[in-house]
Structures are given as structure tokens and as C-alpha cells.
Amino acid sequence: MSQSLSRALTILVSLGEDSQSLDQLANQLGVHKSTVLRLLQTMEAQRFVTHDSQHRYMLGSRLFELANRTLEQRDVRTLARPHLTALNAATKQTIHLATYESGEAIYIDKFDATESVRMYSRIGRPAPLHCTAVGKVLVSARPRAEWPSIAEQIDYRPFTEHTIRTPESYLRELEKVAAQGFAEDHEEHESFVNCIGVPVHDGTGAVVAAVSMSVPDMLLEHDQVLAELPRVRATAEAISAELGWTPSQVTITTKGRP
């Protein structure tokens, strides 16, 4: 690595901790101020650093752009696979990963149950927004101003006697999901199947996917499925951490095209 590049990287790391004066940076690098100033001027021209009226230097906007692009380029399906595999092995139940694309919840990965019947779902197939846990999670994370129009556009097909059938009921369900941080499909999509779903966040706090676990009630009763929520949530949080999210961040809306 060239000496100039090494010094520039050291400056960026230092400014990532706090703003610094020219003197402080020169002391850290052990070089003359003129040497540091030339590096800073070059980096400022490319928006990697900037300075205020007191001539204290700080990170520039170009780094924020690069950081966001890095987060966006991380493939949630690839990063999620090891965690979903572990959840599937631990629970032996059907595990789904879904994202919100062009107004639909799309299954992008699935792990079939190892000791029970297979679910109807399939990778690449849309999940009904009104009666699946992943659909409810993903829509509830959309901006609230979008909820009414999404609710009005849904075809409320009654898959079972428990399926939500009106926009008004669906909007109430979204409020509940947003408040509690997870969603249920209580025999709404498939008879005798209960499902819980939780959000996956990226480094900006946006909800980019949903993880769910589905279980026939012949294996676990509804309350027993709910008891697995901490395990499913821990899996989603582990995936979120891979995407750069930390639990202290404020959650914002889903990414994806409305």
C-alpha cells in the first residue's frame, strides 16, 4: 500500500471517531501539517471529507453514499440462508423468507418441514397480503399513508373461514402488527396451519424482508407456535445484523417499489 493511501485511510478512520483539526491529524500521522493539508484538500475535492468554519475536518457526503450502496448491494437471501437453515433444523418446521416487490409479498426462500406436511407455498410465488404473516409484516412496514390504497386493492379471497375479508379489518390488523412487531396467520391461509412472521431490517433500519415459521396444529397448538416467537425473532435479528442493522436503530419503512 502506498504511503499516501495509508495516510488517507488513517485520516478517514480518525474522522470516523470525531472531527479533527489539522494539527491533531498531523500529530496522529507524525508528519508536517503541509503533508496532511494536501491529502485533505484532495479528499475534500472528492467529498470524502469536509470542514467547518473553525477548520475542523469531518467525514464528507461521499462516504455516506458509498455506505448506503454497500448495504443495498448485500444479498438478503444469501446472508439469510445459514440462519434460516439453523432455524429449520432447530424447529423442524417450514421456514419462509419473503420480500415486498411491486405491490406483492414474494417468497424468495423456503425450507420445508422435516417432520410434517409440506406447505403450499413456493419460491417466486406471491404470498397473499391479507392472510399470511409475511404479507402482513411487509405491508405494516410500508408508510402508513400507503395502507389504505393497498388495503383497497387486495382481492380478499377467503382461503379459510378465518381469512380477513374487508379493507377495514385488514387495516385494524396492520395497526396490531405494527404495534406488536410481529404478525400471525391463525389458520387464515391454510386450514389447521398457524404461522408467525417477523421483520428483517437493513443497515438503514428499513424492513427489507420477513421471516416466518409455519406449523400444522396437529404438531403444535396455536399457543405453542407463539412460544417459538423469540427463536424466530432472534433469527431475523441475526440476519438484520448481517445487513448492518443494530437493535438500537429506529425502524423505518420497507424498501421496494409500491
Side-chain angles (χ1 to χ4, degrees):
M1 183 184 296
S2 73
Q3 192 174 57
S4 293
L5 177 58
S6 177
R7 287 171 177 169
L9 293 175
T10 300
I11 288 172
L12 292 176
V13 171
S14 180
L15 296 182
E17 298 295 328
D18 196 5
S19 61
Q20 306 278 337
S21 68
L22 180 60
D23 287 336
Q24 288 174 311
L25 291 171
N27 287 336
Q28 288 181 36
L29 292 172
V31 297
H32 194 273
K33 289 191 293 184
S34 61
T35 300
V36 180
L37 182 59
R38 284 196 296 273
L39 287 172
L40 289 169
Q41 288 174 336
T42 299
M43 289 190 287
E44 190 162 22
Q46 296 296 322
R47 294 189 291 112
F48 284 103
V49 302
T50 186
H51 69 275
D52 61 19
S53 58
Q54 280 73 48
H55 293 283
R56 292 187 65 83
Y57 289 85
M58 60 205 73
L59 296 179
S61 60
R62 175 64 61 83
L63 286 170
F64 297 116
E65 292 176 10
L66 293 176
N68 284 333
R69 288 176 187 172
T70 299
L71 291 171
E72 290 171 357
Q73 289 170 359
R74 305 202 75 181
D75 180 3
V76 63
R77 185 174 187 267
T78 300
L79 293 174
R81 268 212 148 232
H83 302 286
L84 300 179
T85 298
L87 180 61
N88 175 248
T91 64
K92 298 180 171 35
Q93 306 303 332
T94 302
I95 307 299
H96 291 109
L97 181 69
T99 58
Y100 190 84
E101 301 176 16
S102 302
E104 294 183 313
I106 306 294
Y107 292 118
I108 61 172
D109 214 345
K110 177 186 179 182
F111 295 79
D112 284 310
T114 58
E115 294 185 355
S116 65
V117 297
R118 292 191 174 189
M119 303 290 105
Y120 174 71
S121 56
R122 184 180 302 166
I123 295 174
R125 176 173 289 172
L129 298 179
H130 65 300
C131 60
T132 60
V134 293
K136 294 175 185 179
V137 166
L138 294 169
V139 175
S140 71
R142 302 294 300 177
R144 286 176 181 264
E146 295 182 14
W147 289 6
S149 61
I150 293 174
E152 289 294 337
Q153 292 170 19
I154 290 175
D155 174 14
Y156 291 91
R157 175 183 170 186
F159 289 89
T160 76
E161 62 179 331
H162 302 291
T163 302
I164 292 173
R165 304 190 184 198
T166 66
E168 294 75 20
S169 297
Y170 186 59
L171 289 172
R172 288 194 295 270
E173 183 75 358
L174 293 180
E175 291 286 356
K176 178 181 177 181
V177 172
Q180 65 189 14
F182 71 94
E184 289 187 70
D185 159 11
H186 190 4
E187 300 184 36
E188 299 169 46
H189 187 212
E190 297 184 59
S191 297
F192 313 115
V193 174
N194 290 297
C195 179
I196 49 176
V198 296
V200 172
H201 308 276
D202 70 3
T204 70
V207 174
V208 292
V211 173
S212 70
M213 182 183 77
S214 301
V215 189
D217 64 4
M218 68 183 74
L219 295 179
L220 295 177
E221 296 180 354
H222 176 248
D223 289 344
Q224 292 174 303
V225 175
L226 282 179
E228 292 292 325
L229 179 61
R231 195 198 300 259
V232 179
R233 181 169 277 153
T235 297
E237 289 179 353
I239 299 167
S240 300
E242 295 262 18
L243 293 167
W245 178 79
T246 56
S248 61
Q249 288 177 284
V250 176
T251 303
I252 56 179
T253 58
T254 46
K255 287 187 175 181
R257 293 165 293 177

